[in-house]
């Protein structure tokens, strides 16, 4: 499919932010976006055009029944090159989310080439300062105007871009994580493994409870036993018990993070004892008390690696790694950000250059 190019005239371009590190995450958008529409069983009208509001019928199915999915990845600009990190995995996962939500798939090669073309147009928007990047948000929504509950016959797929600094305003310093005992995020058989809109709305209330006690992120427990760790709002979770590094298995209610997969690969190749198994909250609390839990971190595209400095559970606060960043956590942050920005060797072929 041909991509039509409709570019803004140079005198109407937006001013670029002076310092991407200071922008609150996801609040500034670039001059252009990509979009295409799905109608009569096929994608049409692919175009790169000025960033603009959408026009939707108020009865559009996504607005009522949540048929919407998205992805999140980043572009880095270093030494004049624009780099993407494992971008094909994001489009494969978009299609997995689409299949769960009864939405049409996109051609992954086409979507990636559309993204690359958009990035070429917006190359000056990719921040080149360490700690900053251009966050990429591919999105698909059901747009058919109909109030009956059914899969939409019409869809819009678009990609928008946002220059960002660190995800947490604290930057790379330990985050405080609130264990929710009252609410759950997802249940096996549900949509927890899909990057779909409703999952995040479902998490907002627990987020406000966390904020009430001064905590920034929610750590979810499994929905059946309320006992096993699942993941954080937008991150997968790892716990280091002595020499064993553990993350919960992809049981169907957890998002299969690309950062999680990268951490598993890196740590296995470092020769660490890495295990995907259930982690009970009792094991974590006891391990913190006995000193067996030496490090804990979250990982995801937005924050990359986020050390966990303290845990709130049943009205008690527990300090992890003395509230500092653990050695392995720091190493993984340096290694991943190094590979992503092209500063460190990439033995896995993860980095894709936009030429
Ligand atoms: C996006 C996301 C992650 C992290 O996935 P990455 O591919 O590493 O960015 C983890 N959990 C949830 C709920 C997410 O939405």
């Amino acid at each position: 499919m041909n991509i039509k190019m409709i570019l803004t005239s140079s005198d109407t371009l937006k001013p670029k932010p002076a310092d991407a590190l200071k922008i609150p995450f996801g609040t500034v958008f670039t001059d252009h976006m990509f979009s295409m529409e799905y109608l009569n069983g096929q994608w049409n009208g692919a175009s790169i055009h000025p960033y603009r509001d959408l026009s939707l019928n108020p009865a559009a199915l996504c607005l009522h029944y949540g048929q919407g999915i998205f992805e999140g990845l980043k572009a880095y600009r270093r030494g004049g090159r624009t780099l993407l990190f494992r971008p094909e995995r994001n489009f494969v996962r978009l299609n997995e989310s689409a299949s769960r939500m009864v939405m049409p798939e996109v051609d992954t090669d086409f979507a990636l080439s559309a993204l690359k073309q958009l990035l070429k147009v917006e190359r000056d928007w990719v921040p080149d300062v360490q700690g900053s990047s251009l966050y990429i948000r591919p999105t698909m929504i059901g747009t058919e105007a109909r109030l009956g509950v059914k899969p939409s016959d019409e869809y819009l797929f678009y990609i928008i871009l946002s220059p960002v600094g660190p995800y947490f305003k604290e930057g790379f310093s330990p985050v405080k994580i609130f264990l929710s005992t009252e609410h759950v995020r997802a249940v096996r058989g549900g949509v927890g493994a899909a990057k779909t809109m409703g999952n995040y709305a479902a998490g907002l209330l627990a987020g406000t409870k966390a904020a009430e006690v001064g905590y920034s992120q929610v750590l979810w427990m499994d929905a059946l036993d309320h006992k096993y760790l699942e993941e954080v709002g937008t991150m997968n979770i790892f716990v280091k018990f002595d020499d064993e590094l553990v993350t919960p298995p992809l049981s169907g209610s957890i998002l299969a993070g690309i950062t999680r997969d990268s951490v598993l690969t890196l740590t296995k190749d470092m020769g660490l004892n890495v295990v995907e198994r259930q982690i009970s909250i009792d094991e974590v609390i006891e391990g913190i008390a006995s000193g067996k839990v030496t490090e804990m971190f979250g990982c995801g595209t937005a924050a990359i690696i986020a050390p966990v400095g303290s845990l709130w559970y049943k009205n008690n606060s527990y300090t992890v790694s003395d509230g500092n960043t653990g050695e392995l956590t720091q190493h993984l942050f340096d290694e991943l950000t190094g590979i992503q920005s092209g500063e460190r060797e990439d033995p896995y072929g993860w980095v894709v250059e936009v030429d």
Side-chain angles (χ1 to χ4, degrees):
M1 193 185 348
N2 229 10
I3 301 178
K4 194 168 157 192
M5 306 288 277
I6 308 158
L7 302 186
T8 321
S9 64
S10 55
D11 56 333
T12 57
L13 293 177
K14 302 174 195 170
K16 311 264 182 320
D19 185 354
L21 296 173
K22 296 220 176 78
I23 309 170
F25 191 90
T27 53
V28 172
F29 302 97
T30 70
D31 293 299
H32 300 89
M33 61 190 283
F34 168 84
S35 71
M36 62 181 178
E37 287 167 16
Y38 187 87
L39 202 64
N40 301 322
Q42 54 186 351
W43 290 106
N44 291 297
S47 95
I48 287 172
H49 54 79
Y51 189 97
R52 61 173 184 236
D53 289 352
L54 303 178
S55 166
L56 284 179
N57 189 298
L61 278 161
C62 66
L63 299 176
H64 301 267
Y65 310 123
Q67 212 190 6
I69 56 176
F70 61 92
E71 270 304 322
L73 64 161
K74 283 173 170 173
Y76 299 82
R77 187 155 183 84
R78 298 294 185 274
R81 303 193 298 158
T82 302
L83 306 174
L84 293 163
F85 184 70
R86 311 183 76 182
E88 64 292 339
R89 297 286 296 238
N90 290 91
F91 292 111
V92 167
R93 188 171 66 190
L94 180 86
N95 282 343
E96 287 164 4
S97 298
S99 140
R100 177 65 183 83
M101 304 309 288
V102 200
M103 299 168 80
E105 295 192 351
V106 297
D107 181 303
T108 54
D109 290 339
F110 175 73
L112 183 54
S113 80
L115 169 60
K116 286 180 174 173
Q117 285 194 47
L118 177 62
L119 287 170
K120 273 188 225 170
V121 171
E122 303 293 59
R123 95 174 27 225
D124 293 341
W125 277 96
V126 192
D128 59 3
V129 185
Q130 194 179 1
S132 66
S133 57
L134 189 67
Y135 186 78
I136 301 162
R137 173 52 62 89
T139 308
M140 194 196 297
I141 52 175
T143 51
E144 181 187 349
R146 162 109 59 145
L147 292 182
V149 178
K150 70 170 221 25
S152 179
D153 280 339
E154 297 163 21
Y155 295 86
L156 176 68
F157 172 78
Y158 59 86
I159 304 175
I160 53 175
L161 309 172
S162 174
V164 297
Y167 186 66
F168 297 116
K169 56 179 184 310
E170 303 92 308
F172 181 66
S173 41
V175 291
K176 299 167 79 178
I177 292 207
F178 174 95
L179 237 125
S180 180
T181 41
E182 193 180 351
H183 302 106
V184 295
R185 172 184 177 271
V187 66
R188 235 165 288 159
V191 295
K195 226 168 163 75
T196 184
M197 299 173 171
N199 284 334
Y200 305 84
L204 294 176
L205 183 57
T208 65
K209 306 265 172 187
E212 279 167 19
V213 290
Y215 276 62
S216 53
Q217 295 289 307
V218 175
L219 173 58
W220 300 105
M221 295 291 101
D222 78 283
L224 299 177
D225 299 311
H226 293 247
K227 191 176 158 193
Y228 299 103
L229 272 57
E230 293 247 304
E231 63 176 321
V232 187
T234 58
M235 299 188 290
N236 294 109
I237 188 87
F238 279 81
V239 184
K240 188 161 176 280
F241 297 95
D242 290 331
D243 292 335
E244 187 192 31
L245 182 66
V246 191
T247 194
L250 301 176
S251 54
S253 52
I254 296 176
L255 209 278
I258 296 161
T259 320
R260 174 188 182 278
D261 183 76
S262 308
V263 166
L264 286 173
T265 302
L266 287 172
T267 50
K268 280 177 190 160
D269 285 359
M270 284 164 67
L272 296 186
N273 175 19
V274 197
V275 188
E276 292 174 66
R277 64 161 173 85
Q278 288 190 316
I279 307 167
S280 78
I281 181 57
D282 295 340
E283 187 186 2
V284 173
I285 298 297
E286 283 163 27
I288 291 174
S290 71
K292 204 170 160 21
V293 169
T294 52
E295 300 185 35
M296 207 166 154
F297 61 87
C299 67
T301 296
I304 309 174
I305 301 280
V308 175
S310 85
L311 205 67
W312 182 273
Y313 177 58
K314 290 193 175 162
N315 289 319
N316 277 307
S317 138
Y318 299 86
T319 303
V320 186
S321 304
D322 297 324
N324 298 319
T325 299
E327 207 180 312
L328 176 65
T329 307
Q330 180 72 52
H331 173 80
L332 288 170
F333 178 81
D334 293 342
E335 188 68 19
L336 262 180
T337 52
I339 293 174
Q340 289 168 339
S341 59
E343 280 144 20
R344 290 203 181 187
E345 202 191 327
D346 169 27
Y348 308 101
W350 283 340
V351 172
V352 172
E353 183 166 352
V354 180
D355 45 29

